[in-house]
Amino acid sequence: MSAPKRQQSSEDVPYELIYWPSIPGRGEHIRLALEEGGATYTDTAQIEKGIDEVTAQVDPSNIGDDLNPPPFAPPILRHGDLLIYQTSNILLYLGPRLGLVPEDEGRPDAPYKVNELALTALDGLSNEVHDCHHPIASGLYYEDQKNEAKRRSKDFVENRLPKFLGYFERVLQGKASGEGPWLYGGQLTYADLCIDGTKFAFRKAMSAAEKSGKYVHIFRLYSAVKERPRIKDYLASKRRQDYSLGIYRYYEELDFNPESI
């Protein structure tokens, strides 16, 4: 039996991000990693008729190729012959290649530590945020589940958001976070880039959390990420799309002030 084929992904090949145009969404976590890592990449959100590539990938007739099963949904990353999807999976692949995971010999388990932190951030500050405005079904309009969204958002602000902010505050106070404002190993990792967007969706709650003084380290991290030279340039560029639809949406009626709950 012949040896199985292996993925060929030259480091000289540009990365290709395949994601919906006009919606930052989960693709934004990938963009932040690519930008911070100084990677050369293309983005279907910035390409004319880029949506055609997105729809082709998720078309029911797509059965994949010799090396790759068909992706279920964006974000999708192509790198040479490699095609992968799922936000956390893409970040797990990009992290070591872009210098977003500690590489010192004293931390051989660093990829798993960074991954668990990223997964936790994506669970609580991305997926749960999405479910606040679409608590019943993603296929329904927001207006069709508005009352349920209010109940879900109130609970998120009152219970879930403090739980996740409190967890990351504890992480940042721990020795494993190392020196500086970062979550792990004394350097910026892709996990630090997964805490983005919640300030937009829940402005009152996040403002109150910051003013409370309970989460000093997490807001210091948030500011430190924004001041990274490459991130700062990206945020000021036309490549950065405004949050509007997608995961991070702002609805005034969902923006509960925790002091009033």
Side-chain angles (χ1 to χ4, degrees), residues 197-232:
T198 310
K199 265 193 171 184
F200 174 82
F202 291 99
R203 302 172 190 179
K204 292 177 182 177
M206 291 296 280
S207 177
E210 186 169 12
K211 291 176 182 177
S212 74
K214 297 178 181 178
Y215 313 107
V216 174
H217 294 83
I218 191 69
F219 286 101
R220 185 181 300 161
L221 165 63
Y222 187 89
S223 297
V225 168
K226 303 299 181 187
E227 291 302 314
R228 298 284 291 187
R230 287 172 176 164
I231 297 292
K232 192 172 185 178

Side-chain angles (χ1 to χ4, degrees), residues 113-178:
K113 303 299 184 182
V114 175
N115 187 46
E116 69 187 11
L117 291 168
L119 286 168
T120 304
L122 292 172
D123 279 345
L125 303 178
S126 181
N127 295 336
E128 290 202 24
V129 171
H130 170 272
D131 291 344
C132 284
H133 54 74
H134 276 72
I136 302 300
S138 59
L140 293 176
Y141 289 109
Y142 163 68
E143 288 74 18
D144 296 327
Q145 48 195 317
K146 196 170 182 178
N147 290 334
E148 292 85 355
K150 288 180 179 179
R151 292 182 63 190
R152 182 64 178 264
S153 296
K154 183 177 180 180
D155 180 73
F156 178 77
V157 168
E158 186 177 31
N159 297 305
R160 302 297 289 169
L161 181 59
K163 184 171 185 176
F164 281 97
L165 291 180
Y167 169 71
F168 285 114
E169 183 70 14
R170 288 190 288 120
V171 170
L172 289 163
Q173 292 179 42
K175 292 183 178 180
S177 68

Side-chain angles (χ1 to χ4, degrees), residues 94-109:
L94 290 175
R97 290 165 174 78
L98 299 180
L100 298 177
V101 174
E103 294 183 343
D104 63 274
E105 295 181 357
R107 297 180 183 270
D109 299 329

Side-chain angles (χ1 to χ4, degrees), residues 2 15 48 56 63 75 84 93 108 156 162 168-169 172 186 199 224 226 233 241 243 253:
S2 60
Y15 298 99
E48 185 177 0
I63 61 173
I84 55 177
Y93 175 77
F156 178 77
F168 285 114
E169 183 70 14
L172 289 163
K199 265 193 171 184
K226 303 299 181 187
D233 289 346
Q241 302 170 82
Y243 286 120
E253 62 271 21

